[in-house]
Amino acid sequence: MEHVPPPAEELALLDRELAQLDARRAHLLTRRAWLVSALQPQAPNAPRWHTPPVGHGWAPGQPWSAAPRAAKPSGPPRSAQNVLLTLGGLLLTVAAIAFTLVSWGSMGIGGRSAVLALVTLAALAAPVVLLRRKLAATAEALAALALVLTLLDVYAVHAVAAPDADGLTFTAVASAVLAALWAAYGLALGKLHLPLPAAVFFVQWPLLLGAWAAGAPAIVVGWALLVTAVVDGSIALWGKGLGVRVTAGIGLAVMGSAALLTGLGESLTADGPLGAVLPGTLLLTAAVVALAGAWRAPNGYAQVGGVVAGLAAVAAVGGVLRAAVPGTWHVPVYLLCGLALLCVVRAPLPRGAGRGVLGAAGAVVAGALLWAVPPVAAVLLGPVELVAEVWAGAPDGFRGALGESMRWSESAAAPVVLAVVAGLLGAAYRWWPSLVRVAAPLVPPGAAARGAAGAGALALGWGTLLLAAAVLGVPYPVAVALETVLVAGLLLVAVRGAETSAAGPEGAVGGGRSAVAVTALVAAVGGAVSVGLLSLAAEAATYAVFGALVVLFAGAALRTRAVVEQAVFAVAAVVWGTVLTGCAARSLELAPHEAAPLLLVVPAVTVLLGARLRLHPVALPVELAGALGALVAVGLAVPDAPFLALVLALCGVLAAGAAVRPERRPAAGYVAAVLFVAATWVRLAASEVSAPEAYTLPVTVPALVVGVLRRRKDPEASSWTAYGPGLAATLLPSLAVAWTDPDWVRPLLLGVAALVITLLGAKYRLQALLLLGGAVLALDTLHELAPYVVQVAGALPRWLPPALAGMLLLAVGATYEQRLRDARKLKDLLGRMR
């Protein structure tokens, strides 16, 4: 049998084993600490032990560090060293400037020259010695000091040796000398980072300042800038060191941009083609240089170079041609030059450079379109002015309906620009697969690009026809007919595109047609609005246009199968029909409030159409569009109360008709009840009835009876549906009258009735009774107590209401969580009521 020790002996055994475990744990932790310290980097002369401390049992010969010691740094940190060197260099620079400006005059010419020359040579020679001792940071600081000293030497030479020399000429020569000096110095001391960027900086000025000093014309200054930019580009491509390339790149951007702007300005201000030749030569040379640089530059910079080359070439050639044509045709000339860049797709250019040239062509086309689009906007939005003078008579021509804000003679070339670009995009859309095969590296394949081309061609073609009609000044009937026909054509394209998209994915073709269909849809709606506004000048034109729009959009809605397009077409047809009924009311010479019932014809049709469509997705948008027309009718009837009551009642009838359908009952039922109550209230107010209860109670009683029967048949029916309309029909008008009633009888009776209704709602857990009765009771009580509250408030000190409000806020804040829980409980309680 196994021996089981007594409890006391077993406890002592466990204590001994735990003590051994603690000792072993401490032993392992000590060894771990030594391993961590042994793995840390130490100074070369740090002592190392070869035996562990006594008592740990490690084998002899194992290294043991007496204590973890952090290696002492051999010198100050690099950041501190940089700060010290920077401060030292700044102090020396300030001292040198102070010496030159302050103490210079107290010394003779020999002493001045000797001191500056000696200090400059010492500053130039010191970095050589420091680099041999591997003190690169100190050498950089002294090189910066030497750079400042050389500038001071130049200033001193000009002030003493050549005081009469021209400042610009001397600066140009000095810049060339300093550029050569610092280039040689930087090449000799290759480890310094400052001299070569400084030399690149000095290279920027000799030619520019020299041309400026010589009083050269602007074109010569442009050549000086261009040559400097070429030098910068060469340095940026083949220079060594990031600082050199960055400085050269900045110089290339600045000087190249200045050269191009100079050439462009001279080209635009040239008197004739011969005067534009010299600026064109400058721009063309810049284009060749930029293209050569793009040939050798990395991909991103190659695209920038291609863009610059393309734009410069367009400005060069277009500037010469522009001077030979009238001012109206300047933009088409530049457009044709930009389109000529498209031949780059066949040129053996690198991919980046070719895409840059195509980007330049796109930029030229975009600029031409920005110039041509505002006249199109004027054609579309110009008829807005006719709204203020409806049926004032047909104008003499299309331009007469658009106003006199545009100078159409200056826009004669705009239709040409739109037509050229539209034709180009249309050709690209038509032969897109062939274009992709020809220019595969430069033109992105896919349906999205083709769709964008087709959409652009459609929109620009539509704008071309509209703008051409305005520029040619066609007669008013022709303009109306043209815009209507264009709307019909756009609807046809939209319907066909929607059918193609709904048929299923067809790759690139289907994607392209989808984009074209969306563009056609938007253009059709916009064109319909424009031609509708244009037709307001004459009564016959208005009926003809809006009648045609109703037929066209309704036919498009019936023809297409795509849900979104069908909904847009149907809603537009409803809107045009509403406008048509308004025009009929104007022809009958009805006042606005008298025309309101006539406007409800279209909403009635939409209710019937919604009942016909039922669960079709287009049914709801159509009914909402009809409701918008009903809202307009209500707005027109507001000035006349009897007509407003009639219109509200008719709208209630339409809403009740929609509520017959189960899917519309939750929303339309409440709307119908509100409209009927509002109609009753308005009718009573219009009749100056002082006791509305005589008219509302006969409605309330049968309504409540119907509600009771409904609840017996369907116990789950909502109390708002059963009792809400009936109670609201009496309570709300009575409450409105009670607030203006100086007597006490009506408020008392209303308060008692509201109290009874509230108690019934609480007892039978009916939400409508509880909330309606409680709200009316609270408002009625507030009306009765308001005079006393005002008297008490006037007697109280002014500081007391803010103090009470503050205390209330503190109490609510202190018990916020509890109040939140109470609110949630109340919400849940009301939610469980029927």
Side-chain angles (χ1 to χ4, degrees):
M1 295 179 64
E2 184 179 356
H3 173 70
V4 178
E9 183 179 353
E10 184 178 1
L11 179 62
L13 180 61
L14 292 177
D15 289 339
R16 286 195 298 270
E17 290 181 356
L18 289 175
Q20 291 177 0
L21 290 175
D22 291 339
R24 179 61 177 170
R25 185 174 184 275
H27 173 72
L28 295 175
L29 289 175
T30 304
R31 179 62 179 174
R32 181 184 181 279
W34 177 83
L35 292 173
V36 171
S37 62
L39 293 175
Q40 291 178 351
Q42 296 179 348
N45 298 327
R48 299 180 65 86
W49 301 94
H50 294 283
T51 56
V54 179
H56 288 278
W58 303 110
Q62 288 183 334
W64 181 267
S65 176
R69 296 182 182 180
K72 294 183 179 180
S74 59
R78 294 292 296 176
S79 58
Q81 182 183 14
N82 293 335
V83 171
L84 294 176
L85 291 175
T86 303
L87 291 176
L90 288 176
L91 291 176
L92 289 175
T93 303
V94 171
I97 295 174
F99 167 75
T100 304
L101 298 179
V102 179
S103 302
W104 186 259
S106 62
M107 300 179 63
I109 185 63
R112 300 171 187 175
S113 303
V115 171
L116 270 180
L118 181 61
V119 174
T120 303
L121 290 175
L124 290 172
V128 179
V129 179
L130 294 172
L131 287 176
R132 291 177 181 176
R133 296 177 176 271
K134 298 183 180 181
L135 299 175
T138 308
E140 290 285 355
L142 289 179
L145 175 63
L147 176 62
V148 176
L149 289 174
T150 53
L151 295 176
L152 295 176
D153 288 336
V154 171
Y155 167 75
V157 170
H158 180 265
V160 176
D164 298 330
D166 180 65
L168 289 176
T169 304
F170 184 84
T171 305
V173 175
S175 299
V177 173
L178 289 176
L181 171 65
W182 282 98
Y185 188 74
L187 293 175
L189 301 178
K191 294 184 179 180
L192 292 180
H193 301 288
L194 180 63
L196 290 179
V200 175
F201 173 77
F202 288 126
V203 165
Q204 312 301 314
W205 309 110
L207 293 178
L208 175 61
L209 296 179
W212 193 1
I219 191 65
V220 176
V221 176
W223 279 104
L225 291 169
L226 180 60
V227 173
T228 305
V230 171
V231 174
D232 289 330
S234 302
I235 297 173
L237 284 175
W238 295 295
K240 296 181 180 180
L242 180 62
V244 174
R245 293 195 297 272
V246 170
T247 307
I250 295 174
L252 171 63
V254 174
M255 295 298 176
S257 300
L260 291 173
L261 291 176
T262 302
L264 181 61
E266 291 296 308
S267 176
L268 293 176
T269 56
D271 295 333
L274 293 179
V277 170
L278 289 179
T281 304
L282 173 63
L283 292 170
L284 202 57
T285 304
V288 173
V289 171
L291 192 59
W295 203 296
R296 297 169 177 81
N299 187 33
Y301 296 102
Q303 292 189 17
V304 175
V307 171
V308 173
L311 293 177
V314 170
V317 180
V320 176
L321 299 177
R322 177 202 65 85
V325 298
T328 308
W329 298 93
H330 287 174
V331 174
V333 166
Y334 284 106
L335 175 62
L336 293 178
C337 294
L339 294 179
L341 296 177
L342 297 178
C343 65
V344 74
V345 298
R346 303 294 293 174
L349 289 177
R351 188 179 209 178
R355 286 188 174 179
V357 175
L358 286 182
V364 174
V365 172
L369 291 179
L370 287 178
W371 174 80
V373 164
V376 179
V379 173
L380 292 174
L381 301 179
V384 173
E385 299 178 357
L386 299 176
V387 176
E389 300 178 357
V390 177
W391 296 350
D396 295 335
F398 192 15
R399 295 183 185 178
L402 301 178
E404 302 297 333
S405 59
M406 284 293 299
R407 297 180 179 178
W408 297 106
S409 59
E410 299 179 0
S411 304
V416 177
V417 171
L418 295 176
V420 170
V421 180
L424 183 66
L425 292 177
Y429 176 75
R430 176 63 179 83
W431 292 287
W432 185 262
S434 301
L435 178 62
V436 171
R437 286 196 300 270
V438 172
L442 303 180
V443 177
R450 184 186 184 188
L458 179 65
L460 294 178
W462 171 56
T464 300
L465 295 176
L466 292 178
L467 188 55
V471 170
L472 295 176
V474 300
Y476 175 75
V478 176
V480 172
L482 174 63
E483 290 203 33
T484 306
V485 171
L486 288 178
V487 171
L490 291 171
L491 287 175
L492 180 61
V493 175
V495 169
R496 289 186 176 180
E499 290 178 355
T500 304
S501 301
E506 298 181 10
V509 176
R513 289 182 180 176
S514 178
V516 172
V518 172
T519 305
L521 175 63
V522 175
V525 175
V529 173
S530 179
V531 71
L533 294 174
L534 183 64
S535 68
L536 295 178
E539 183 177 4
T542 302
Y543 282 107
V545 168
F546 280 102
L549 291 179
V550 170
V551 173
L552 288 174
F553 278 87
L558 294 175
R559 182 68 178 83
T560 185
R561 292 177 297 172
V563 175
V564 175
E565 287 82 355
Q566 194 174 37
V568 173
F569 295 147
V571 169
V574 171
V575 173
W576 311 143
T578 303
V579 175
L580 200 59
T581 56
C583 294
R586 182 178 177 86
S587 297
L588 296 175
E589 297 182 355
L590 299 177
H593 63 276
E594 295 174 342
L598 185 59
L599 289 179
L600 296 179
V601 173
V602 175
V605 174
T606 59
V607 171
L608 297 176
L609 186 60
R612 176 70 176 176
L613 296 175
R614 291 189 174 273
L615 298 179
H616 195 280
V618 180
L620 180 59
V622 168
E623 292 179 84
L624 291 179
L628 181 62
L631 186 62
V632 173
V634 172
L636 292 176
V638 166
D640 190 274
F643 269 93
L644 178 59
L646 174 62
V647 171
L648 289 174
L650 293 176
C651 292
V653 171
L654 295 178
V660 173
R661 294 151 51 198
E663 68 276 8
R664 298 286 184 263
R665 187 171 301 155
Y670 292 119
V671 173
V674 171
L675 289 172
F676 282 133
V677 171
T680 304
W681 194 353
V682 171
R683 180 68 261 181
L684 294 177
S687 301
E688 297 181 357
V689 173
S690 60
E693 293 82 5
Y695 299 90
T696 58
L697 283 175
V699 176
T700 297
V701 172
L704 292 178
V705 172
V706 173
V708 170
L709 297 177
R710 170 72 185 278
R711 291 273 297 175
R712 286 183 178 178
K713 184 178 180 180
D714 182 12
E716 297 299 324
S718 173
S719 61
W720 288 100
T721 304
Y723 308 121
L727 293 175
T730 294
L731 291 179
L732 296 181
S734 298
L735 178 64
V737 176
W739 269 68
T740 58
D741 191 354
D743 201 359
W744 59 272
V745 178
R746 177 179 281 106
L748 177 61
L749 295 177
L750 179 62
V752 171
L755 177 61
V756 172
I757 292 172
T758 304
L759 295 176
L760 289 175
K763 179 179 180 181
Y764 294 103
R765 303 178 64 82
L766 298 176
Q767 190 181 98
L769 276 66
L770 179 63
L771 295 182
L772 270 177
V776 173
L777 179 61
L779 292 175
D780 187 62
T781 305
L782 178 63
H783 172 264
E784 294 302 309
L785 296 179
Y788 304 102
V789 173
V790 171
Q791 293 178 2
V792 173
L796 292 176
R798 294 183 180 274
W799 57 265
L800 188 58
L804 294 176
M807 294 176 62
L808 176 62
L809 291 177
L810 289 176
V812 173
T815 60
Y816 175 75
E817 295 295 336
Q818 182 61 37
R819 302 286 78 79
L820 189 61
R821 287 193 294 269
D822 294 342
R824 289 173 179 169
K825 291 179 180 178
L826 180 60
K827 178 184 176 182
D828 295 338
L829 178 62
L830 291 175
R832 288 193 295 269
M833 291 184 176
R834 299 303 302 172

